[in-house]
Amino acid sequence: MNRTDQWADDGQGDDSRAGGVAEAFGQLYGAAPDGVWAAPGRVNLIGEHTDYNDGFALPVALPQNTLLAARARTDGLLRLHSAQGDGRITELSVAALAPGAVTGWAAYPAGVVWALAGAGHPVGGADLHFDSTVPTGAGLSSSAALECVVAVAYDELYQLGLPGPELARIAQRAENAFAGVPCGIMDQMASVCCTAEAALHLDARTPWDHRQVPLDLRGQGLGLLVIDTRVSHDLGDGAYAALRAGCERAAALLGLPALRDLDAAGLHKALDALPAELVPLVRHVVTENARVVEAVSRLREGDAAALGPILTAGHASLRDDYRVSCPETDLAVAAAVDAGALGARMTGGGFGGSVIALVEAGSEGAVGGAVTAAFGAAGHRPPRLFAVTPAAGARRLVPQLARAVGR
Ligand code: GLA
C-alpha cells in the first residue's frame, strides 16, 4: 500500500461488505434477509454542544458504517445479533419493550423499535444482524449509526415512508428515553441525512430544513484527518447532562426559548445578567453558532482551507469556556497544528474521543506522525488515525427488497 492509498478512503469499502453480512444473517437465522442497510458514524466539522441549544452544526458522514441485514417477523419477536458482540442472539418481545428493560448495546436498536411503536407506527418484530466498522467509544457516533440503521430498515420493512429528519428524531428519542442518554439530534441527523462530498448544515430548531454544503476536499487539495485519542474519561455522561442543564438554566434566566436566540450583538449585555458559572457556557454557545455560520459562508465560497482557523478557535472555546476537552485532545490539536495542519479541534461530546485536523492533501502522514510522536513523548498510547472523505448517509445497500412485507 503506497502512502496515497493509505490515506485515501473512497467510502466504497462498506458497500462491498453487504453480501457477507447477508450471508452471515442466513447462517444465523436460517433464511435470507429482506435487505441490507447501512448507516454511518460522523465527525462534526464545527458547531459543538449547540444542537441541544436549538443551534447550528456542520457534520459530515464517515465512510465507516454499521451494516444491518434484517428480515421482518410476523410474531412480534425482535431478535438481535452483532458480529461485534458476544455471539449470543438477544430475543425480545416488541410488545414488552420499555425503558430500562434492555441493557447494553441492544438498548439502542430495541429503543428505535419502541420509539416507532410509541409514535403510533405499525411495526412488528424482526431478525437483525449487525456488523459495524464505526469505532466505538471514540466520539464518532457509533450509537447513532446503530439506531439509524434500524430506523431506515424498519421504515422500508414496514413501509412507513417517513422522511429522514423524522427517522433521526425517532432515533434520538430511542437514545434519550430508552437508552437514557440526553443527547441532541446532531448525530442522528448526520447519520441519516448526510450526503457524499458534502457537509450537512443543520439547524437543530428546524431539522427538516437542513442544507447540503458541497465539500470537495480533494478537489481543493485538502484532507481531513481523524485522530482517535483512544481515551474516554468517565465523567463524560454526567457532565454532558449538567452542561445541558446549565444552558437551559441560562436561557430561562435570560427569558429566551433557547440560547440559539442570543446572538453576538446581545452577548455582552446577557453575560452581565448571568451568574458567573454560566457565563463561559453561554459565551461558547453564542460564538460557536457564529463559527458555524462563518464556516458555511466560507465553504459556499469554495474556500474550505478557511475552515482551519475556525476549527482551532472552536477548540479553544471548548477547552477554555465549555471545558469539555482533556489533555489528550488538547495535545492532539496542538501537535497537529504545530506539524502544519490548517486547523484542528476535538469533535463530538468531548472528555476524550476524537480530534479532526484539516490538512493539505499529502501531509496526512506527516501530521499524523507528529501527533503519534507527541503522544509517545507524553506517555499516551498511540492514537488511531484515518483520513475521511465526506461519505453518504443511511441507505439500503441491496438494491431491491427481497420480500415486500404486507401488513
Ligand atoms: C454528542 C451528542 C450530540 C451533541 C454533541 C456535542 O455527540 O450526541 O447531540 O450534543 O455531543 O456537540
Side-chain angles (χ1 to χ4, degrees):
M1 186 182 274
N2 67 34
R3 197 161 114 183
T4 309
D5 289 344
Q6 186 190 351
W7 294 104
D9 198 333
D10 61 10
Q12 296 305 307
D14 273 346
D15 293 43
S16 64
R17 295 195 302 120
V21 173
E23 209 174 296
F25 179 99
Q27 277 159 18
L28 272 168
Y29 294 116
D34 292 329
V36 179
W37 289 262
R42 64 95 190 91
V43 287
N44 187 20
L45 294 177
I46 191 74
E48 219 66 84
H49 290 278
T50 45
D51 59 353
Y52 53 81
N53 290 299
D54 271 4
F56 309 128
L58 194 63
V60 299
L62 295 176
Q64 289 90 342
N65 292 271
T66 295
L67 267 56
L68 166 63
R71 180 180 174 91
R73 296 179 63 98
T74 51
D75 61 359
L77 274 187
L78 179 63
R79 298 199 292 176
L80 308 110
H81 179 271
S82 167
Q84 284 70 46
D86 60 8
R88 280 182 298 186
I89 294 177
T90 301
E91 194 168 305
L92 305 163
S93 151
V94 172
L97 291 176
V102 186
T103 54
W105 71 269
Y108 297 92
V112 173
V113 178
W114 170 83
L116 282 168
H121 299 298
V123 293
D127 287 339
L128 308 178
H129 167 60
F130 299 91
D131 195 346
S132 184
T133 57
V134 184
T136 54
L140 300 173
S141 293
S142 59
S143 39
L146 189 52
E147 294 150 7
C148 293
V149 78
V150 175
V152 293
Y154 257 68
D155 185 56
E156 292 200 42
L157 288 175
Y158 284 95
Q159 300 170 0
L160 306 179
L162 296 174
E166 181 56 17
L167 295 174
R169 206 186 57 83
I170 292 278
Q172 182 203 12
R173 175 147 174 74
E175 185 145 351
N176 290 171
F178 199 89
V181 183
C183 64
I185 201 169
M186 171 177 68
D187 304 344
Q188 292 77 13
M189 277 296 295
S191 188
V192 175
C193 296
C194 275
T195 56
E197 303 285 335
L200 183 84
H201 184 198
L202 170 68
D203 178 341
R205 177 165 279 168
T206 53
W208 54 89
D209 195 21
H210 57 278
R211 306 286 157 92
Q212 306 294 340
V213 185
L215 180 54
D216 175 13
L217 286 170
R218 277 190 228 164
Q220 295 192 41
L222 299 170
L224 187 64
L225 185 63
V226 176
I227 303 158
D228 169 10
T229 64
R230 299 169 79 196
V231 296
S232 169
H233 293 283
D234 284 345
L235 77 165
D237 289 352
Y240 184 94
L243 289 162
R244 187 173 176 156
C247 289
E248 284 163 6
R249 189 156 73 90
L253 287 171
L254 295 169
L256 299 170
L259 288 183
R260 145 43 172 310
D261 298 296
L262 186 62
D263 62 11
L267 182 59
H268 276 300
K269 193 157 160 256
L271 294 185
D272 286 346
L274 288 171
E277 74 274 16
L278 298 180
V279 164
L281 299 190
V282 175
R283 191 164 49 214
H284 167 74
V285 173
V286 172
T287 58
E288 185 78 349
N289 276 329
R291 279 186 284 274
V292 177
V293 173
E294 170 81 7
V296 170
S297 299
R298 298 284 85 81
L299 288 185
R300 292 249 180 242
E301 290 162 10
D303 186 7
L307 247 53
I310 301 175
L311 301 191
T312 309
H315 186 77
S317 182
L318 289 164
R319 182 191 61 212
D320 302 336
D321 273 348
Y322 221 68
R323 304 206 180 160
V324 291
S325 76
C326 64
E328 295 86 349
T329 49
D330 290 343
L331 180 62
V333 167
V337 171
D338 279 354
L342 303 173
R345 62 181 284 274
M346 54 150 275
T347 188
F351 307 105
S354 295
V355 161
I356 51 170
L358 185 70
V359 301
E360 281 167 9
S363 72
E364 290 89 346
V367 172
V371 175
T372 303
F375 268 46
H380 305 318
R381 277 197 301 168
R384 200 178 297 135
L385 305 163
F386 58 94
V388 169
T389 303
R395 62 212 179 273
R396 189 173 64 228
L397 296 182
V398 175
Q400 294 296 320
L401 269 188
R403 189 172 66 119
V405 183
R407 289 197 50 85

